[in-house]
């Protein structure tokens, strides 16, 4: 059952997240293309366009990251507490399991977003400095070693600290919204709405038979 929940949750985000990730990749390729145009031509126009493109790229990256977080929060609210939430709470699983699945999937998308943003910046840096992947890794290794020495810890411990900080940061941002909404609606009024939905879901299925039939067929145990 949990595997079906994960699969359907990922599928629900698929098209939107693919479009946003595609926009980030397109912005990265555009900046790299503008850099090569400004580098191999003597016209000042291309240099000005490249500088404007860099500013737009930074704005676009921030906007995409924020838009992904807002979308995940909106989808969580819609699928849990709107009309769609009535169907969600008819599933034969505990509400906490549904919450855990949504947090885990949303965290995965946020973590992928962070990785893609870092890879995007690295790709642009490699293009501008003419670096290979090996040279980039060597530079990053030296930078990590210097930061670790400054903190009097090993490089491995410093990398683990960065990873832990990224993971906890993503989880904190999600749980700050998800659990707040969950606790806000966990009172008696929310329980009455869920009981009402379960009691009259036959009526709901009769009024919207295709939607409910498909919904229960997908999650049938």
């Amino acid at each position: 059952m949990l595997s079906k929940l994960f699969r359907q949750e990922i599928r629900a985000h698929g098209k939107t997240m693919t479009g946003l990730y595609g926009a980030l990749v397109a912005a990265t390729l555009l900046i790299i293309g503008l850099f090569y145009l400004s580098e191999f031509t003597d016209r000042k126009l291309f240099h000005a366009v490249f500088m404007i493109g860099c500013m737009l790229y930074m704005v676009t990256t921030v906007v995409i990251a924020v838009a992904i977080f807002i979308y995940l929060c909106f989808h969580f609210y819609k699928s849990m507490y709107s009309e769609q939430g009535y169907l969600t709470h008819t599933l034969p699983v505990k509400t906490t399991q549904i919450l855990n699945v949504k947090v885990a999937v949303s965290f995965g998308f946020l973590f992928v977003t962070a990785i893609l943003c870092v890879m995007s910046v690295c790709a642009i840096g490699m293009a501008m400095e003419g670096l290979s992947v090996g040279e980039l890794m060597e530079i990053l290794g030296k930078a990590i070693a210097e930061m670790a020495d400054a903190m009097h810890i090993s490089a491995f411990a410093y990398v683990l600290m960065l990873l832990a900080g990224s993971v906890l940061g993503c989880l904190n941002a999600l749980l700050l919204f998800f659990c707040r909404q969950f606790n806000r609606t966990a009172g008696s009024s929310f329980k009455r709405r869920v009981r009402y939905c379960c009691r009259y879901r036959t009526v709901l299925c009769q009024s919207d038979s295709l939607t409910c039939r498909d919904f229960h067929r997908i999650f049938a145990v």
Side-chain angles (χ1 to χ4, degrees), residues 1-150:
M1 190 62 191
L2 285 178
S3 62
K4 293 182 180 180
L5 284 175
F6 274 107
R7 184 167 60 251
Q8 292 302 317
E9 186 69 15
I10 294 173
R11 185 179 299 175
H13 294 295
K15 293 182 179 180
T16 302
M17 300 304 294
T18 301
L20 291 172
Y21 289 154
L24 180 60
V25 173
T28 304
L29 295 177
L30 179 62
I31 290 299
I32 294 176
L34 289 176
F35 169 74
Y36 283 124
L37 284 176
S38 64
E39 186 71 14
F40 297 107
T41 57
D42 296 331
R43 297 182 179 179
K44 295 182 179 180
L45 175 63
F46 288 106
H47 292 278
V49 171
F50 173 69
M51 296 303 298
I52 295 174
C54 288
M55 291 186 290
L56 292 177
Y57 166 78
M58 291 186 290
V59 173
T60 301
T61 303
V62 174
V63 168
I64 289 175
V66 174
I68 288 175
F69 178 75
I70 293 175
Y71 164 76
L72 292 173
C73 293
F74 173 77
H75 183 273
F76 173 80
Y77 181 84
K78 181 180 178 181
S79 62
M80 291 290 286
Y81 308 120
S82 66
E83 293 180 356
Q84 183 181 345
Y86 287 131
L87 293 176
T88 301
H89 290 287
T90 62
L91 295 175
V93 293
K94 295 181 179 179
T95 305
T96 53
Q97 290 181 328
I98 298 175
L99 177 65
N100 292 336
V101 169
K102 290 184 176 295
V103 170
V105 173
S106 298
F107 165 75
F109 281 117
L110 276 185
F111 195 71
V112 170
T113 301
I115 292 176
L116 287 179
C117 289
V118 173
M119 292 178 62
S120 174
V121 174
C122 290
I124 294 175
M126 289 172 60
M128 295 178 64
E129 299 296 331
L131 300 174
S132 63
V133 177
E135 292 173 337
L136 177 64
M137 296 302 295
E138 183 179 354
I139 293 175
L140 290 177
K142 291 180 179 179
I144 292 174
E146 291 178 358
M147 294 297 295
D149 291 338

